[in-house]
Every structure is written in structure tokens, then in C-alpha cells.
Amino acid sequence: MLEHIILGFLMTKDRSGYDLKWLMENSTSYFINASFGSVYPALKRLAQKNLVTLHEAVEGGKYKKMYRITDSGKAAFLQWAEEPIVFERSKQDHLAKIFFYEFIPKETAIGNLKDLAHQVESVAKELTGQKSEKEREVDIYKYYYRYAAMCYGVEYYDFVLRWCGTLIDRLENDPETARSERQR
Amino acid sequence: MLEHIILGFLMTKDRSGYDLKWLMENSTSYFINASFGSVYPALKRLAQKNLVTLHEAVEGGKYKKMYRITDSGKAAFLQWAEEPIVFERSKQDHLAKIFFYEFIPKETAIGNLKDLAHQVESVAKELTGQKSEKEREVDIYKYYYRYAAMCYGVEYYDFVLRWCGTLIDRLENDPETARSERQR
DNA sequence: TAGGTCATGTAAAGAGTTACATGATTTT
DNA sequence: AAAATCATGTAACTCTTTACATGACCTA
């Protein structure tokens, strides 16, 4: 997966491992991200498979290892991209604890849910910022898929936020909801 | 994570590894799932840490290894459950390919998106079935958190489906969207 | 000149999946 | 009798993160 993402970013221009990490952090982190510890080895593997080539360069007075996609790299990328999408039921770790909230005090539950909502709000704000930036700086028609993906992110966070809000509201205002019998 | 989910399921009654796998498949798979290859070793680790105990039993003529949560297991579970939720930007693998769809033919993109929509529809239907079942069989007020989590799942799939639909619609009807210049 | 950011990398550990292996019981 | 399902488990592999290590350059 990561190797394909990297190839995708290399389709338009050469980039270093550092650039790639930065790009992911600032454009795909809401659906996929990676640490340096996986980016650098991935580049090494891609070079071994001849899907990218290494070009040492000095850019802005700084030494950089720039990677360029090869023809077989492009072919490999396109093959991956054109393949049918496999929809994986995605992990939503935050639901795991909530699923078992019947066992914890209602007040703790409400507090934790409010805290979760704040976290979601903060990542939503970050992504909304990135989105406005793109809307100003790039032709969203030209990069419509990326723009649509970004909208997905913003709307998804919005959905999570609304869901939290509804749940908190019911817990606070409907005495029938999550009665405390099961609790300690 | 998995160990805590297992402890959560053991809070109300003893279960075997097979039971736990089945339970996850049929109640949490839309946000977390696990294979036998991780469930059985997880139970072994929990037993080693004295958070569960093993009770061999025959149930319905079948030999089963039933696990029971211990007092320290309950304590460990509650500590985990009551801790603040950390919102992790969740992986949404399907967006990875779409993000780079500028490089593939529009027709392939539309076809793949329609195929994705069908897959989402099918998992949505499955979950909606599970939801109706719970609504009939259990007191959703008593298990309100679980019910709310299920609603999250249903609404999330609904959101993905609407997003796909909107994107497909724009690709098919708006000639300005995703012009084919960048393509081969 | 000290701290921050830029830049690259490795090693160990963690968490999981897939594939394989086994055998009992139940259904067709 | 064969096939399906129930039931448990291991081994190899994959993919990833965290923590560490290094050093250049830039700015206050």
C-alpha cells in the first residue's frame, strides 16, 4: 500500500523521503499516513525492484536523495490504481471503548465523549484549513478526485462530531438511556 | 487492543476463542475484527497475565476451552475503558486509489467507483440486518452504547455511499470535472 | 552558541494476517 | 460416506511504529 502511495506521489515529480512524509502528513493523513521508519525502507525496496531510481541532489543548499519513478514504476502504479477498489471495513478504534461503555459510570462516559468530540473538532479544523488552502491555490477541477477525497474527510469528521453530539445529548437528557444498573 | 475487547466480552459471561471470534464477526466487525490467529494467542497471553482463567468444558456435546475473566482482569478492563478515548485518524484504504484517479481513464474510474458502491451497499445491508435483529431481540436502552455504535456503522456506510454517488454523478454529468488531460 | 528544523537512516518491538495442521461432530 | 461446520492451534510473514542515532544548516 505505502509503496503504491509513494509511486503515486512520484508520478508528477521527483521527491525525497522527507518530502513524501511531509506530503502525506499534509494531504493524505486523514486516510493514510506513514512514519519515516516506513517511508525510507519503502523507497529502498522500490529502488531494489527498479520501480524508482535515486538521484542525489542539492536543493536549497541542502543535500537530498531524490527519487524518480521509472517506466516500470509507472506501469506498476497504474496497474494498482486501475484495479477494482476493495472496500475494507475500516478500523474505528474510538468505537471500541464506547461499545463497552455500559460498564463505566455515565459521568465518565459523558466526559470522555466530550473530550473525544474536542479531538475530532481539532482534526476537522486542521483538514478544513488544508481544504481552504487547496481551494485557493489549485485548480480543484483539475485535481477533482483529490478535492473529493478531502471533502470525504471533512464530511466524515463532521459526521463523527454529530454522532458524538447526539449520543451525549441523549445521555444527558434521556433518563431511560444507559441506565446505570450494570455499573459498579 | 484485542486483549481489551476480549476482556470486554468476558465481562458478562465465559466464552471460548471460537465464541469470541464469532461475536466479533457478528457485532464489532464494522469497526474491529480479528482472525483466529490473533484471538487464540491473545487468550493465551491474557491467561499468562492472570487476567483470565481457563475452564475446560463440554457444551452441546462439544469440547470447549472456556475463559473466565478474573478480578484483576475486570480491573484492567475498567481501567482501559475509563481512560480518555484517543481519536486516531482512521485508515480508509479505499480513498488511497481514488486520491490518484487523475492518472486513470475516467471510464475506469467510474466503473471502479460503481463497484465500490456495490460493495459498500452489501456490507451496509449486512450491518442493517444485524441492527434490526438487535432491535427485535435486546433492550436497546440497556445496551444503548452498543446500539449507538451500530447506528454509527450504518450511518457511516450510508455516508460513504452518498459520497460515491455524488462523485459518480459529477463525473458522468459535469464535463468540467476531472478532464482527461492528465491521462495516458 | 544553543535550539530548532531539515534530512536520512536502523533496530527492536508490536500487532496483526494468511496458510497450514489437526481432529471431532453434524448434516446431507 | 462425504462434506460442512465446529473447534483449537502454530509458524511464517507482513507491515508498521517507536526509539534511537547521526549530522548538516539555520536562526535567535
Side-chain angles (χ1 to χ4, degrees), chain A residues 86-183:
Chain A
V86 177
F87 184 68
E88 311 262 14
R89 293 175 290 189
S90 56
K91 228 174 206 172
Q92 319 254 342
D93 283 1
H94 51 284
L95 286 186
K97 283 183 182 176
I98 299 169
F99 187 82
F100 293 113
Y101 264 14
E102 65 192 89
F103 299 109
I104 76 166
K106 202 172 181 174
E107 294 68 37
T108 311
I110 293 171
N112 286 350
L113 284 166
K114 284 184 175 171
D115 185 58
L116 172 65
H118 286 130
Q119 290 176 59
V120 177
E121 231 171 308
S122 131
V123 295
K125 200 167 277 176
E126 197 188 310
L127 183 57
T128 305
Q130 284 178 18
K131 184 164 159 268
S132 323
E133 203 181 304
K134 299 286 172 193
E135 281 162 353
R136 269 186 286 104
E137 289 174 8
V138 306
D139 179 359
I140 62 162
Y141 279 101
K142 191 167 165 192
Y143 295 96
Y144 196 75
Y145 296 108
R146 288 176 194 217
Y147 181 68
M150 217 163 214
C151 291
Y152 178 108
V154 169
E155 286 166 40
Y156 165 69
Y157 289 141
D158 215 63
F159 154 69
V160 178
L161 217 47
R162 280 201 315 279
W163 178 84
C164 282
T166 307
L167 180 53
I168 292 165
D169 188 61
R170 281 204 70 143
L171 291 172
E172 286 185 328
N173 300 317
D174 181 357
E176 280 306 296
T177 300
R179 296 184 300 270
S180 296
E181 284 129 53
R182 306 180 64 81
Q183 293 166 17

Side-chain angles (χ1 to χ4, degrees), chain B residues 71-83:
Chain B
D71 284 340
S72 45
K74 283 180 187 173
F77 169 77
L78 288 172
Q79 208 208 319
W80 170 78
E82 292 182 22
E83 257 169 22

